Amino acid sequence: MANITFIGLGNMGGPMAHNLIKAGHAVTVFDLSADAVKALVDDGARTADTVHAAAEGAEVLITMLPAGEHVEAVYLGDEGLLNTLTSSTLVIDSSTNAPETARGVAEKATEKGIAFLDAPVSGGVGGAKAGTLTFICGGEDAAFDRAKPVLEGMGKNIFHAGPHGAGQVAKICNNMLLAILMNGTCEALALGVKNGLDPAVLSEIMRQSSGGNWALNVYNPWPGVMEGVPASNDYQGGFLVDLMNKDLGLAFDNAVKNKAPIPMGSLARNLYALHGQQGNGRLDFSSIQRFYRGKE
């Protein structure tokens, strides 16, 4: 068991911290939301008034933050945590941001003798609550080996993708593919329904055929077809359209830098950008089904 500090208690971070407490770790939490902090304190966590006080004495420091600028604000600069952490602290950033951001923080951490992993996650809020997340890690072998027992308290699949930044590269590739698959699934379902097919029957046919994919198999976007998914809860909860747009933007920027053609990824990015601009940014990303379904 370890002394762990967890910073960032949003839809993903809160359940992740809860699972670390459940696993028996001593967890100190910090977030700007008093309600989020209270929920974890009620679970048995400790807290502190400042991010620096929360990180004091941590053997492992985990951050789960909205975007790269927040990660840089927490770790870098005169007020950054890398100036006060000891070399014995293992730093794990599970935020999703640009590979360049991860490499930049890792470089500064290495200069100070601090082990750092970029470890973005896949699996959504459901996976965070169930403790079945996939962690995609970038960093040195020794840091990964230290982190793995901690990450196993929050996830089921723990991958070492490669050196610093590799976790972020793999994550944006995965989410770009997810966006493409979700759009294709929604498009196929809408076409079938417009031809009079039952969406549940069509879903099962495609699920058992060559069209089967994660979006169809475990996250069906058509309302009422599958229990326990956002589509059957008015697209509430889950992975927000705004966050998918962020990740698709990261993939697009990376593709430009590497001169990589991503025609389907670019189309998915444009479709989600349009969907978000139409007031759907706070809905789950499977709500793109509404775009294809149209008015009936």
Side-chain angles (χ1 to χ4, degrees):
M1 300 298 103
N3 289 319
I4 300 173
T5 293
F6 202 110
I7 299 170
L9 305 175
N11 290 338
M12 296 291 292
M16 291 165 68
H18 169 79
N19 283 328
L20 289 173
I21 297 169
K22 188 177 176 181
H25 298 288
V27 180
T28 301
V29 298
F30 182 85
D31 194 275
L32 296 179
S33 167
D35 289 341
V37 170
K38 183 181 184 303
L40 269 297
V41 170
D42 289 345
D43 282 342
R46 297 170 295 187
T47 189
D49 292 334
T50 68
V51 68
H52 287 278
E56 188 174 345
E59 297 173 87
V60 180
L61 173 68
I62 302 172
T63 45
M64 189 63 165
L65 301 168
E69 58 264 32
H70 305 102
V71 173
E72 291 176 337
V74 165
Y75 288 113
L76 305 181
D78 293 339
E79 300 298 319
L81 286 177
L82 292 182
N83 288 323
T84 57
L85 294 174
T86 67
S87 60
S88 63
T89 305
L90 170 63
V91 174
I92 303 171
D93 178 38
S94 286
S95 318
T96 297
N97 47 68
E100 293 79 13
T101 300
R103 295 183 190 115
V105 175
E107 181 180 356
K108 295 298 182 183
T110 300
E111 289 175 0
K112 297 179 179 295
I114 298 170
F116 175 86
L117 279 182
D118 52 289
V121 302
S122 179
V125 175
K129 291 179 178 178
T132 58
L133 291 171
T134 294
F135 284 86
I136 312 165
C137 304
E140 300 295 332
D141 290 343
F144 176 76
D145 291 341
R146 281 181 64 191
K148 191 173 181 181
V150 174
L151 299 180
E152 285 173 342
M154 301 178 284
K156 183 172 68 173
N157 301 300
I158 319 295
F159 291 104
H160 189 192
H164 294 128
Q168 300 294 350
V169 173
K171 172 63 186 292
I172 62 178
C173 289
N174 177 79
N175 276 24
M176 182 179 72
L177 178 58
L178 175 59
I180 293 167
L181 291 172
M182 182 58 78
N183 272 280
T185 297
C186 291
E187 187 173 306
L189 285 170
L191 177 62
V193 170
K194 285 186 182 297
N195 278 274
L197 297 184
D198 183 320
V201 173
L202 177 57
S203 292
E204 186 62 19
I205 290 169
M206 294 192 296
R207 213 169 63 84
Q208 299 297 335
S209 303
S210 55
N213 66 80
W214 186 89
L216 181 68
N217 297 350
V218 302
Y219 211 84
N220 195 292
W222 198 277
V225 170
M226 186 176 288
E227 294 183 1
V229 297
S232 295
N233 187 35
D234 202 26
Y235 298 108
Q236 299 299 311
F239 185 62
L240 301 184
V241 169
D242 284 345
L243 294 178
M244 178 57 84
N245 271 319
K246 184 197 81 170
D247 291 357
L248 289 169
L250 292 171
F252 182 83
D253 291 345
N254 188 271
V256 170
K257 289 178 182 177
N258 288 283
K259 298 180 180 179
I262 54 165
M264 297 182 72
S266 296
L267 178 57
R269 175 175 175 260
N270 288 339
L271 288 166
Y272 270 108
L274 176 61
H275 188 54
Q277 288 172 359
Q278 292 175 337
N280 302 299
R282 305 304 296 174
L283 298 180
D284 180 72
F285 81 108
S286 63
S287 64
I288 194 78
Q289 182 71 79
R290 290 179 172 175
F291 173 83
Y292 292 97
R293 190 172 181 176
K295 295 181 179 181
E296 299 179 348

